[in-house]
Structures are given as C-alpha cells and as structure tokens.
Amino acid sequence: MQLDIIKELTNIGGGNAATSISHLIDKPINMSVPTTEILNYDEIFEKIMPEDKMVTAIIMRMLGGCEGTFLFVTDEAASLDLINMMISNGIEINEELANSCIKELVNIVVTSFLNAISKMIDISFISSIPLLAKDMFGAILSSVYIESEQYDNSILIIKNEFIYQGDKIEASLYFIPKPGVLKKLFNKLGF
C-alpha cells in the first residue's frame, strides 16, 4: 500500500515534470508511469545497474524536517539524449551548456516530485542546487549513502522513461533518506 502511494505521488510528480519540461523546450515530452521499488543496497547492483558502470549522476539534497538525497542517474547515451532533448537544433553544445541542461532537467523532476508530496502532507520541502558527478555507479551511490548517515538498507528507486519524439530515454531517480525519514513520511500520509 505504501509503495502504491509513492508510485502515485511519483506519477503525479512525473506528469508535472513532463508538462514543465514540454513548456520549457516547446516540444511534447511524456513520461511513462514510473516503476517504484524499495530495495536494499546490495540488490541495487544486482537488479538495477552494475557497480562499475560509468554514469552521469545529478545529486540534490532534500533539506528541512525530512532530509535525504536524490540521485538522478543515466548512462552516457541517455544523458546525451536528454541534453539533445533540452537544446534546440542549431545551438552549439559545449560541456558547460550540456551540464547546465541536465542539471536543470533534474531540478524540474525533483522539484515536481517534492511539490506532489508537499501538497499531500502539507509540509514544505527545500532542495539544494543540483550537483553533477561522472564516475562509476557504485562509487557515487556509496558516497551518497555514507553521507546520508544511512544505516538502513532501504533505498527508494524510481525508474522513469522520458518519451521524446517516439524514443524512450531511461533514467533512474534514487532517494536515499536519512534514517527514519521514510517512516516519518508514511506516518504523515496516515500509514
């Protein structure tokens, strides 16, 4: 039941994000209904992505009464597809512009998700500015996990697919909560 509620919240947040991105780039963007799971740390490397895969990751922190870290992860090909989706044809893409585009995309996705939760439980959330990292998936996830003082094995995984011009672009959004945060959120939702 709790996962169904989170799935519905991510679906609402994803729909809002797709609408915002569509308005920003003036092109239709859709997002599939997200796959939502709570996995333990070791299962992520078995089911989602190998530890040694090189990825682009955007890190955003959720601050305030409910703290945690959002980690948006794509492989290099999906990252380039997302950047090309955000930039109009004819504009020369340099590294600074590419990084800025992917960070803004993630900022929209995370903020839309937080706004959906905020409306349901009447708590305001604050998010940090997005930070970009390129490294092996295991190194990035481990760093965020340790920094979050996480001793619980539960990590909320939201797999999204952006659908742009008929093509699917896969990305994963991970939420690594500070200890006790998921329980606090579920309590606020009445569970």
Side-chain angles (χ1 to χ4, degrees):
M1 182 100 161
Q2 292 172 338
L3 260 170
D4 287 342
I5 289 169
I6 292 211
K7 187 172 185 175
E8 186 55 33
L9 289 171
T10 57
N11 195 25
I12 293 166
N16 292 344
T19 301
S20 296
I21 294 165
S22 292
H23 288 300
L24 179 69
I25 65 173
D26 200 26
K27 296 173 192 163
I29 302 292
N30 292 308
M31 288 179 78
S32 62
V33 175
T35 304
T36 307
E37 296 181 82
I38 295 179
L39 297 177
N40 74 41
Y41 184 80
D42 294 325
E43 285 178 313
I44 291 170
F45 301 121
E46 294 168 19
K47 293 184 176 182
I48 306 289
M49 188 176 295
E51 196 172 347
D52 59 352
K53 184 170 178 91
M54 290 299 292
V55 297
T56 298
I58 308 298
I59 302 159
M60 289 183 70
R61 288 175 178 62
M62 183 173 79
L63 309 167
C66 294
E67 295 187 17
T69 302
F70 285 94
L71 184 62
F72 183 89
V73 177
T74 62
D75 63 22
E76 188 175 346
S79 183
L80 289 173
D81 288 341
L82 290 170
I83 291 163
N84 288 326
M85 177 184 81
M86 295 287 287
I87 297 176
S88 297
N89 291 335
I91 294 177
E92 186 178 330
I93 302 172
N94 59 34
E95 186 176 359
E96 185 178 343
L97 180 60
N99 291 347
S100 180
C101 283
I102 196 87
K103 288 193 286 188
E104 185 53 34
L105 176 98
V106 175
N107 189 35
I108 292 168
V109 170
V110 169
T111 303
S112 296
F113 177 66
L114 290 177
N115 286 341
I117 294 173
S118 180
K119 286 177 184 174
M120 281 200 81
I121 62 176
D122 199 28
I123 290 180
S124 294
F125 294 103
I126 301 166
S127 59
S128 70
I129 60 168
L131 302 171
L132 186 137
K134 293 184 181 186
D135 203 339
M136 288 187 293
F137 176 62
I140 293 171
L141 184 63
S142 297
S143 296
V144 171
Y145 197 76
I146 291 166
E147 188 178 301
S148 294
E149 301 167 4
Q150 185 54 269
Y151 305 108
D152 183 1
N153 271 340
S154 299
I155 297 177
L156 176 62
I157 290 120
I158 303 162
K159 290 195 81 163
N160 288 320
E161 284 183 338
F162 293 86
I163 302 164
Y164 174 63
Q165 296 182 337
D167 294 326
K168 292 182 179 181
I169 307 169
E170 188 175 312
S172 295
L173 180 65
Y174 299 81
F175 178 59
I176 298 112
K178 290 263 188 172
V181 166
L182 283 181
K183 184 177 180 182
K184 186 175 185 180
L185 289 174
F186 287 136
N187 286 341
K188 284 281 189 184
L189 290 164
F191 294 95

